[in-house]
Amino acid sequence: MTSTDTVPYALIVDDEADIRELVEITLARMSIKTLAVANLADARQAFADERFDLCLTDMRLPDGDGLELVSFISDNHPHCPVAVITAYGSADSAVASLKAGAFDFVSKPIDVAGLRALVAQALKLAGLDNDAPPHPSLDASPRLIGNTPSMQRLRETIGKLARSQAPVYITGESGTGKELVARMIHAEGPRMGSAFVPVNCGAIPSELMESEFFGYVRGAFTGAMRDTSGLFARADGGTLFLDEVADLPLTMQVKLLRAIQERAIRPVGANDETAVDVRVICATHRDLAAEVARGRFREDLYYRLNVIEVHVPPLRERRADIAALAGRILEALARKLRLRHSPTLAPAALEALEQYTFPGNIRELENILERAVTLSEDAVIDRRYLRLNSPLLEGQAQVEPAPSEALASTANAAPRPAAPVDTSVDLETQLETLERERIQDALETCHYNKTKAAKHLGITFRALRYRLAKLGMN
């Protein structure tokens, strides 16, 4: 609570007397003052007379729809989180309420433990929970770099999404920072004191997915020597981030849908389900709607995950942010490599970066700058060390490629145009740089599934692991 004399005040709207009584008793035991009404008109009047910190409303009211009240509160009393009470199994109503601006929902018959967890999250959101951890400082929180209009809009959207518990679907090309957006939504919301659990759905073998997501009990299968929690259990009370969710097989999509709808999981080998309180945020660089049309992704899961969609723009659409991004990346590299001074970019190098198309987005910018810092002997990085692959920039390059490079490029038909040879760098360093680029290409092509990447490169998985460790790419 904000002060010793401030008690949270909740409005309960339901035409069933026993539901009103159950909710009032539950909230009273949480030291929350309540007012209960039976219809939409009385609820509107209550908001005209008093200020509430939380509202719980049934979806079906005698004189209207609960969604009308959700919209009314969102428009006129945005400080007040509102949750809806839905009929059992009414997933469509729950999704509709979240889209209308509801904080969360609870299904009938009401589970008291689930209701308490929901109310606790609402109090954290309203700043009325003494046990909630302090909001992290800007320096400690993940944050987006850049002040272009698209970045300003994205930050505003993140602030709004952080106030909701609705599932979020993040779209954008590979390397744009979708996980960073998910982390910001988590860090700025009421779940910030609990775990943020990221998982790359394409990196888990299909035969291990169920045990990875839901855990398993001792003796569930050969080698299960003890009870082991899964990703959902680790994210209980926090956020589960499903990256590349389009890579989930259909069999796992069914189980994921049930876990999200019922807010419960059943570990492999267990007889009973376990309740979990998890907010799900997912992301993919694919078009999920197109995947649904092709029959590769379940339509019901798509609508359950895509309650609110947020798009992360590619780097080429916010070129004015490149200077700030590059500066921040170079500062991080200086700390990582323990350099005395942070490297800077020569004007020609920065101009070249601002003209580059960045098919790999921010991740590619990080790789380009790390390679340039490694190769450059000066604190000011010259353009030639960037080794960009844009045809436009190659025509403007000041350094002509060596004849041996052109010959090698034609003979091998490498996926990327060869970069100019820097004669000041020894052969071993050049080969290491080439190997790093080829492995990075394979990982990105295979969505960071190392088993597939090894096959793509024509080497064993063990050999790939050795090379990743040797090159410091783990």
Side-chain angles (χ1 to χ4, degrees):
M1 301 178 191
T2 54
S3 66
T4 56
D5 59 347
T6 301
V7 176
Y9 195 15
L11 176 66
I12 303 164
V13 188
D14 200 299
D15 61 334
E16 297 183 49
D18 55 343
I19 296 292
R20 294 197 302 271
E21 183 180 6
L22 173 63
V23 176
E24 282 192 287
I25 292 173
T26 302
L27 270 58
R29 290 175 178 172
M30 298 177 70
S31 301
I32 299 173
K33 179 183 176 183
T34 60
L35 172 66
V37 298
N39 55 58
L40 184 60
D42 289 346
R44 290 178 184 271
Q45 185 59 49
F47 270 100
D49 296 338
E50 303 189 66
R51 177 185 173 93
F52 296 96
D53 302 303
L54 168 67
C55 178
L56 292 165
T57 178
D58 192 12
M59 282 290 286
R60 295 184 178 180
L61 298 170
D63 56 345
D65 194 314
L67 290 181
E68 295 180 44
L69 184 57
V70 172
S71 299
F72 170 78
I73 295 173
S74 298
D75 293 339
N76 299 283
H77 306 277
H79 67 277
C80 179
V82 55
V84 299
I85 302 170
T86 66
Y88 175 77
S90 181
D92 292 342
S93 296
V95 171
S97 68
L98 293 172
K99 284 183 178 290
F103 162 76
D104 208 342
F105 69 92
V106 59
S107 299
K108 295 180 181 179
I110 293 177
D111 174 68
V112 173
L115 175 61
R116 290 175 64 90
L118 180 151
V119 171
Q121 292 289 354
L123 294 182
K124 289 179 183 179
L125 182 61
L128 296 171
D129 183 11
N130 276 336
D131 296 328
H135 197 288
S137 67
L138 289 176
D139 291 335
S141 300
R143 51 177 171 162
L144 293 168
I145 304 299
N147 290 307
T148 52
S150 61
M151 284 295 98
Q152 293 175 5
R153 288 193 298 270
L154 182 56
R155 274 192 286 268
E156 291 174 1
T157 301
I158 288 171
K160 294 176 181 177
L161 296 180
R163 291 184 56 82
S164 169
Q165 294 300 293
V168 177
Y169 168 44
I170 304 174
T171 63
E173 298 176 6
S174 293
T176 50
K178 296 187 290 295
E179 182 173 335
L180 175 60
V181 171
R183 287 184 180 275
M184 289 182 65
I185 294 172
H186 171 80
E188 295 182 17
R191 296 177 180 269
M192 59 185 175
S194 300
F196 176 90
V197 180
V199 54
N200 188 325
C201 297
I204 305 176
S206 57
E207 63 272 14
L208 299 179
M209 275 195 172
E210 186 173 3
S211 59
E212 282 289 317
F213 274 90
F214 307 132
Y216 54 86
V217 299
R218 180 181 177 184
F221 48 81
T222 303
M225 305 302 294
R226 62 182 185 277
D227 292 357
T228 302
S229 59
L231 295 166
F232 267 88
R234 287 176 228 159
D236 193 19
T239 302
L240 180 63
F241 175 57
L242 304 177
D243 197 9
E244 298 303 342
V245 70
D247 290 341
L248 286 174
L250 288 169
T251 52
M252 189 61 204
Q253 292 176 28
V254 177
K255 296 170 182 176
L256 177 63
L257 176 63
R258 175 173 174 77
I260 294 173
Q261 288 187 165
E262 303 303 325
R263 301 187 181 191
I265 57 171
R266 177 176 293 167
V268 177
N271 295 322
D272 301 317
E273 289 188 333
T274 302
V276 288
D277 172 28
V278 173
R279 184 182 191 181
V280 175
I281 300 178
C282 70
T284 180
H285 73 284
R286 298 193 207 174
D287 184 342
L288 265 191
E291 293 295 299
V292 171
R294 296 187 186 105
R296 298 174 186 168
F297 202 85
R298 291 182 61 94
E299 184 176 12
D300 47 5
L301 179 58
Y302 169 73
Y303 286 114
R304 196 66 186 83
L305 293 174
N306 189 18
V307 174
I308 303 174
E309 181 176 337
V310 56
H311 180 70
V312 185
L315 188 53
R316 62 182 174 275
E317 292 182 6
R318 54 186 193 104
R319 297 180 189 273
D321 292 331
I322 290 176
L325 282 165
R328 182 58 59 88
I329 293 168
L330 289 172
E331 289 174 3
L333 286 171
R335 291 192 297 270
K336 174 183 175 183
L337 301 174
R338 298 182 180 179
L339 302 178
R340 182 173 298 179
H341 301 290
S342 179
T344 58
L345 292 169
L350 178 57
E351 182 181 358
L353 287 175
E354 291 176 340
Q355 294 177 7
Y356 185 53
T357 56
F358 284 104
N361 293 291
I362 297 174
R363 186 182 296 126
E364 184 179 11
L365 175 61
E366 293 172 340
N367 293 337
I368 288 170
L369 293 177
E370 183 171 6
R371 179 176 63 227
V373 169
T374 302
L375 297 178
S376 177
E377 296 180 355
D378 300 321
V380 179
I381 299 173
D382 191 78
R383 183 230 176 271
R384 70 179 183 274
Y385 292 116
L386 299 178
R387 297 189 173 183
L388 303 178
N389 304 308
S390 166
L392 174 63
L393 290 172
E394 290 305 317
Q396 300 171 343
Q398 300 299 315
V399 181
E400 291 294 328
S404 59
E405 174 209 336
L407 189 62
S409 177
T410 304
N412 297 325
R416 290 185 176 183
V421 174
D422 184 0
T423 55
S424 67
V425 181
D426 59 70
L427 178 61
E428 183 177 350
T429 301
Q430 292 180 31
L431 291 174
E432 183 177 295
T433 299
L434 177 62
E435 185 178 17
R436 184 189 297 272
E437 291 175 356
R438 289 291 305 278
I439 291 175
Q440 184 66 34
D441 281 342
L443 288 169
E444 291 180 3
T445 299
C446 300
H447 309 307
Y448 289 85
N449 184 316
K450 293 179 182 178
T451 302
K452 293 180 180 178
K455 292 180 180 179
H456 184 80
L457 291 165
I459 60 177
T460 64
F461 177 76
R462 185 175 181 179
L464 176 60
R465 288 182 61 185
Y466 169 78
R467 283 174 164 82
L468 289 171
K470 177 185 174 183
L471 297 170
M473 296 178 67
N474 282 328

